[in-house]
């Protein structure tokens, strides 16, 4: 059943849509009803996929047919006032490659357009790095005029319903007196919008401007990227900061950004060729840069899918250092030469000193006797002179008296001391008496222990 | 119509083609963004799938052959038609779904942007013609017709909306996979 139904789509014809017209203030409001609008069983289930082609002409002798693709609810302006215009519309399905039948012709008289100087005119959108601004002009001298910027989500016009109550105010642009509005806050990238300005004077007067369509990614301009240069060995590193800032991935993500780098050697005496490099990353490297040269760089961001490019960044230049290997070589040579000079100087000083001594010895000897016999005579005479006074006669006598006293009073403690002293200092062979008496006591002690 | 007139028409058409073809380069990139965004927004518009709706769950059987056609260029056009169907489904009476209106608006707006820009792209007309002859196209229409009928029969109640939303998520995930494969 289903298959038969769908096969018949190939043969089916799209019926005529319904059409309603309303003439007001020099414009004609159009309302299109999809074919099969009142039918319960439909051939064309998705009535939102229709594209309506409106054909209209001025009912005069030299009528020229005009074509316009219209939404189900739309307006036709730029019409001559006080004239009769006739309209007919057909519903098409571009996907199927089908064109529908035309509706019956409907004619309407246009009215005189009342120029309201209150209305905002010349609406334009300026956008850079996803910051959107709406600008407009005021007609004539108007006092106490306030503006209210409104936006409509693009898809609402596609629906068959009236969207006039679906306009919303841009948050920071309500009741303002300036003629510009930053509407970045309402923008998302996969979307599109219509904008209009409502001008108000007092409580009674208000006027709506024409609408302007905004497709964010198409309208937006890409700003220039930031550039920083870095050097290492013979490599020049180009560090790019994306437009819109590093933290804002929006630009890079939606535009699939690439970067075009222009770089050249800036020399005063020769015209250097400007080289170009295209990269997707935010870091690029140029190899084989010459030493002791000035290199300059400019970068441009571009989007291949959207066929958009930014202005070039500011020029950044950097000096490449002198060749490190040659300077090292020079330094080495210098140090070696310095070392040689120092060694030679030291040797020279040494040789000169030695020569001076020799010469002094040979040609200018001193009269002093040699050192080895100089002090000898003095000592001999001084010791002979003193020996008579130092005869130890008295000490012999003192020692003898001490021995006799000790012989009577010896006990164990004394003996221990003498034992120690005899151990420590060896034999006292000079005084036989002392050692003899002590010796007998020692042998007694040894037997008892 | 003399020869000069024909030449003029020919020149105008070719220049229109050139001008319009410039409008097409961004479409594949934008399509990927719309798919990504739509998946994110589908999650955002409502909460978790309600338990009570599990017993009403239906199998709609998305026709996979639509994303594997004989000619690779027609996949892009097939995706545009799927967007149109999804756009149509979500334009119906959503009162009982009680979803986040702002997120839903963004979802619809994104889908419509892609649909509208493809229509402006002249080069795609040739591919559109080839796509219109594809056999799997009917299966795709049948699939969406089933979902539409299901919603109508259930009078667009909460469960029918949640089931349809889950089905659309599955559909977009399959498209996402197919486009990533094509990109590689």
């Amino acid at each position: 059943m289903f298959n038969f139904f769908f096969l018949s789509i190939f043969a089916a014809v799209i019926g005529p849509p319904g059409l309603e017209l309303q003439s007001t203030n020099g414009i004609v409001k159009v309302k299109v009803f999809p074919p099969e609008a009142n039918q319960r069983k439909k051939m064309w289930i998705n009535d939102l996929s229709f594209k309506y082609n409106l054909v209209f002409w001025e009912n005069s002798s030299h009528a020229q047919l005009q074509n316009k693709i219209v939404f189900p609810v739309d307006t036709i302006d730029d019409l001559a006032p006080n004239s009769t215009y006739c309209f007919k519309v057909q519903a098409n399905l571009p996907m199927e490659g089908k064109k529908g039948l035309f509706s019956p012709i409907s004619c309407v008289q246009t009215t005189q357009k009342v120029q309201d100087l209150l209305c905002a005119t010349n609406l334009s959108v300026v956008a850079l790095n996803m910051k959107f601004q709406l600008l407009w002009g005021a007609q004539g001298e108007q006092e106490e005029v306030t503006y209210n910027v409104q936006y409509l989500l693009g898809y609402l016009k596609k629906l068959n319903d009236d969207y006039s109550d679906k306009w919303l105010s841009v948050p920071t642009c309500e009741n303002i007196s300036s003629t510009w509005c930053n509407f970045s806050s309402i923008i998302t990238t996969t979307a599109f919008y219509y904008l209009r300005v409502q001008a108000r004077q007092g409580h009674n007067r208000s006027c709506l401007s024409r609408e302007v369509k905004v497709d964010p990614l198409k309208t937006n301009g890409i700003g220039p990227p930031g550039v920083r240069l870095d050097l290492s060995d013979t490599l020049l590193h180009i560090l790019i900061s994306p437009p819109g800032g590093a933290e804002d991935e929006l630009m890079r993500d939606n535009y699939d950004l690439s970067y075009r780098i222009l770089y050249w050697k800036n020399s005063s005496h020769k015209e250097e060729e400007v080289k170009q490099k295209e990269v997707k990353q935010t870091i690029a490297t140029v190899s084989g840069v010459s030493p002791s040269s000035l290199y300059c760089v400019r970068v441009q961001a571009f989007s291949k899918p959207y066929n958009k490019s930014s202005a070039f960044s500011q020029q950044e230049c950097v000096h490449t250092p002198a060749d490190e290997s040659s300077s090292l070589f020079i330094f080495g040579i210098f140090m070696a030469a310095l070392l040689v000079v120092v060694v030679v100087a030291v040797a020279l000083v040494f040789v000169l000193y030695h020569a001076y001594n020799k010469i002094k010895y040979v040609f200018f000897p001193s009269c002093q006797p040699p050192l080895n016999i100089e002090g000898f005579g003095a000592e001999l005479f001084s010791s002979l002179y003193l020996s008579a006074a130092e005869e130890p006669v008295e000490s012999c006598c003192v020692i003898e008296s001490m021995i006799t006293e000790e012989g009577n009073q010896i006990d164990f403690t004394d003996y221990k001391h003498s034992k120690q002293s005899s151990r420590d200092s060896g034999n006292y062979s000079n005084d036989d008496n002392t050692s003899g008496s002590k010796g007998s006591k020692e042998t007694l002690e040894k037997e008892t222990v | 119509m003399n020869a000069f007139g024909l030449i003029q028409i020919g020149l105008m058409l070719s220049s229109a083609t050139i001008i319009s073809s410039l409008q097409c380069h961004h479409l594949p990139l934008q399509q990927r963004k719309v798919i990504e965004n739509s998946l994110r927004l589908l999650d955002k518009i409502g909460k978790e799938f309600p338990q009570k709706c599990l017993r009403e769950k239906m199998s709609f059987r998305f026709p996979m052959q639509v994303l594997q056609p004989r000619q690779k260029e027609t996949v892009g056009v097939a995706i545009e038609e799927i967007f149109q169907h999804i756009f149509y489904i979500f334009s119906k009476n959503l009162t009982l779904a009680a979803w986040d209106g702002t997120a839903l608006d963004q979802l619809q707006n994104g889908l419509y942007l892609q649909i509208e820009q493809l229509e402006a792209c002249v080069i795609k007309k040739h591919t559109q013609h080839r796509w219109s002859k594809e056999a799997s196209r009917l299966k795709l229409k049948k699939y969406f017709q089933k979902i539409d009928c299901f919603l109508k029969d259930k009078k667009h109640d909460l469960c029918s909306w949640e089931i349809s939303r889950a089905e659309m998520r599955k559909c977009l995930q399959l498209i996402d996979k197919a486009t990533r494969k094509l990109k590689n």
Side-chain angles (χ1 to χ4, degrees):
Chain A
M1 178 65 187
F2 263 136
N3 282 332
F4 178 77
F5 172 71
F6 285 111
L7 280 169
S8 61
I9 283 175
F10 289 123
V13 170
I14 305 169
L19 180 65
E20 262 182 26
L21 303 166
Q22 189 194 355
S23 173
T24 166
N25 198 22
I27 60 164
V28 175
K29 286 189 180 169
V30 170
K31 174 95 179 83
V32 183
F33 298 92
E36 311 172 304
N38 301 320
Q39 282 170 245
R40 226 181 140 260
K41 279 205 164 188
K42 298 185 191 199
M43 173 68 86
W44 313 106
I45 307 136
N46 188 351
D47 53 11
L48 292 180
S49 55
F50 287 125
K51 272 190 101 72
Y52 300 107
N53 180 29
L54 185 76
V55 176
F56 58 100
W57 61 95
E58 196 181 344
N59 204 1
S60 64
S61 47
H62 302 290
Q64 268 204 317
L65 286 177
Q66 292 184 67
N67 266 40
K68 191 180 178 197
I69 302 290
V70 293
F71 289 110
V73 177
D74 218 320
T75 51
I76 310 292
D77 34 34
D78 295 329
L79 298 170
N82 301 321
S83 309
T84 307
Y85 278 87
C86 292
F87 300 83
K88 63 178 182 178
V89 69
Q90 69 175 161
N92 300 331
L93 283 174
M95 265 307 180
E96 318 280 348
K98 280 188 178 293
K99 286 190 189 291
L101 299 171
F102 272 104
S103 67
I105 298 169
S106 206
C107 297
V108 80
Q109 175 94 6
T110 53
T111 58
Q112 183 70 37
K113 187 174 179 105
V114 176
Q115 279 290 348
D116 193 346
L117 294 176
L118 180 65
C119 304
T121 55
N122 299 330
L123 268 70
S124 63
V125 177
V126 172
L128 190 72
N129 291 341
M130 300 304 284
K131 300 273 183 290
F132 290 84
Q133 275 226 345
L134 179 71
L135 305 159
W136 62 92
Q139 296 180 84
E141 292 290 314
Q142 298 289 330
E143 289 174 11
E144 290 176 24
V145 180
T146 56
Y147 300 102
N148 186 15
V149 180
Q150 297 174 330
Y151 73 99
L152 181 77
L153 292 169
Y155 86 94
L156 290 167
K157 284 204 177 191
K158 186 69 176 170
L159 304 178
N160 290 318
D161 316 313
D162 187 14
Y163 53 82
S164 52
D165 57 343
K166 305 260 171 58
W167 287 87
L168 302 163
S169 286
V170 174
T172 51
C173 303
E174 287 182 78
N175 296 327
I176 55 171
S177 47
S178 51
T179 55
W180 55 268
C181 167
N182 180 350
F183 62 95
S184 314
S185 58
I186 59 122
I187 295 286
T188 50
T189 46
T190 49
F192 72 107
Y193 309 86
Y194 294 94
L195 272 101
R196 71 182 185 189
V197 179
Q198 184 193 43
R200 266 213 173 97
Q201 195 178 49
H203 295 290
N204 299 332
R205 282 185 75 200
S206 81
C207 172
L208 288 168
S209 69
R210 281 199 182 181
E211 295 163 10
V212 65
K213 186 177 170 183
V214 179
D215 186 340
L217 291 175
K218 278 194 174 169
T219 314
N220 179 51
I222 304 174
V227 185
R228 228 168 24 91
L229 300 176
D230 202 12
L231 284 164
S232 71
D233 295 331
T234 55
L235 300 171
L236 171 65
H237 300 290
I238 303 162
L239 303 145
I240 305 167
S241 27
E247 64 284 335
D248 189 2
E249 293 271 339
L250 213 67
M251 294 282 290
R252 208 185 333 182
D253 216 19
N254 284 284
Y255 282 111
D256 193 25
L257 286 177
S258 303
Y259 302 97
R260 191 172 288 122
I261 302 167
L262 295 180
Y263 62 99
W264 63 95
K265 195 157 86 172
N266 206 351
S267 60
S268 50
H269 54 273
K270 205 169 74 163
E271 264 290 316
E272 288 286 349
E273 181 200 343
V274 176
K275 296 198 183 129
Q276 188 174 297
K277 201 175 160 105
E278 284 184 14
V279 295
K280 274 210 128 233
Q281 307 86 0
T282 49
I283 296 178
T285 306
V286 172
S287 59
V289 289
S290 325
S292 312
S293 308
L294 182 70
Y295 277 88
C296 290
V297 173
R298 291 182 86 187
V299 184
Q300 179 190 50
F302 69 97
S303 168
K304 229 177 183 172
Y306 284 87
N307 195 24
K308 273 182 187 289
S309 52
S310 74
F312 272 98
S313 68
Q314 295 267 36
Q315 189 173 288
E316 285 290 322
C317 298
V318 74
H319 257 291
T320 51
D323 200 352
E324 256 192 28
S325 57
S326 67
S327 64
L328 263 171
F329 181 68
I330 291 165
F331 182 71
I333 299 268
F334 172 74
M335 289 308 289
L338 191 68
L339 197 68
V340 162
V341 163
V342 164
V343 162
V344 163
V346 164
L348 201 66
V349 162
F350 180 74
V351 161
L352 281 173
Y353 178 72
H354 206 67
Y356 165 76
N357 279 340
K358 281 271 183 246
I359 289 165
K360 197 170 154 204
Y361 178 74
V362 169
F363 293 105
F364 305 101
S366 63
C367 297
Q368 285 184 345
L371 283 166
N372 54 356
I373 60 162
E374 203 175 300
F376 183 70
E379 245 182 47
L380 194 64
F381 292 129
S382 61
S383 64
L384 282 170
Y385 187 68
L386 287 168
S387 63
E390 287 178 3
E391 253 184 44
V393 176
E394 282 176 29
S395 60
C396 288
C397 296
V398 170
I399 288 168
E400 275 177 9
S401 62
M402 275 175 68
I403 287 165
T404 49
E405 280 174 23
E406 279 181 2
N408 298 325
Q409 288 168 16
I410 282 175
D411 57 22
F412 278 118
T413 51
D414 284 336
Y415 177 73
K416 274 183 191 162
H417 285 299
S418 59
K419 195 178 164 192
Q420 283 174 350
S421 62
S422 66
R423 239 192 250 150
D424 290 341
S425 49
N427 300 325
Y428 292 98
S429 51
N430 285 341
D431 297 320
D432 289 327
N433 292 337
T434 330
S435 65
S437 59
K438 278 191 179 170
S440 59
K441 281 289 174 193
E442 274 183 65
T443 49
L444 198 72
E445 270 297 312
K446 273 183 188 167
E447 279 165 24
T448 52
V449 168
Chain B
M1 187 81 90
N2 58 10
F4 184 65
L6 280 168
I7 292 165
Q8 271 191 316
I9 291 169
L11 278 169
M12 270 170 58
L13 277 172
S14 59
S15 60
T17 315
I18 291 162
I19 291 162
S20 308
S21 73
L22 292 173
Q23 297 177 359
C24 303
H25 289 302
H26 67 285
L27 284 174
L29 170 65
Q30 194 173 266
Q31 189 177 72
R32 285 197 296 276
K33 290 275 162 241
V34 168
I35 295 167
E36 262 174 45
N37 246 25
S38 302
L39 277 166
R40 184 180 54 85
L41 288 163
L42 264 180
D43 282 336
K44 201 176 170 190
I45 55 177
K47 299 190 195 76
E48 272 176 25
F49 189 85
Q51 290 277 5
K52 63 178 182 179
C53 301
L54 276 171
R55 60 171 178 266
E56 292 179 56
K57 213 152 194 272
M58 257 191 75
S59 162
F60 295 102
R61 286 197 295 269
F62 178 81
M64 284 302 297
Q65 50 280 58
V66 158
L67 299 173
Q68 298 141 3
R70 279 166 290 161
Q71 285 141 345
K72 284 210 170 118
E73 307 84 55
T74 54
V75 174
V77 189
I79 293 170
E80 303 305 342
E81 184 160 343
I82 294 170
F83 283 170
Q84 278 199 355
H85 285 291
I86 300 174
F87 179 75
Y88 172 73
I89 286 175
F90 285 118
S91 65
K92 297 293 156 193
N93 186 359
L94 287 150
T95 329
L96 295 172
W99 284 339
D100 178 350
T102 314
L104 194 60
D105 274 340
Q106 284 177 9
L107 172 66
Q108 290 286 74
N109 217 8
L111 289 170
Y112 181 61
L113 173 75
Q114 190 68 10
I115 295 164
E116 196 221 25
Q117 292 197 349
L118 178 71
E119 281 169 358
C121 181
V122 169
I123 275 180
K124 295 272 183 175
K125 290 275 188 277
H126 302 292
T127 335
Q128 270 179 348
H129 183 70
R130 256 184 272 152
W131 161 245
S132 65
K133 301 267 183 285
E134 274 278 336
S136 52
R137 197 166 169 237
L138 283 175
K139 293 202 168 80
L140 188 69
K141 283 188 185 288
K142 216 161 60 167
Y143 169 77
F144 283 104
Q145 167 75 329
K146 251 171 124 178
I147 297 171
D148 193 36
C149 286
F150 171 71
L151 280 163
K152 281 199 179 97
D153 290 343
K154 297 283 178 186
K155 294 185 174 51
H156 297 93
D157 68 2
L158 174 72
C159 281
S160 64
W161 271 123
E162 286 292 344
I163 291 163
S164 305
R165 176 180 156 218
E167 191 63 35
M168 291 302 97
R169 191 193 284 116
K170 208 170 28 174
C171 181
L172 281 168
Q173 277 166 350
L174 289 166
I175 294 172
D176 189 30
K177 226 189 213 172
T179 47
R180 280 178 202 275
K181 248 190 209 167
L182 274 176
K183 189 184 171 190
N184 301 331

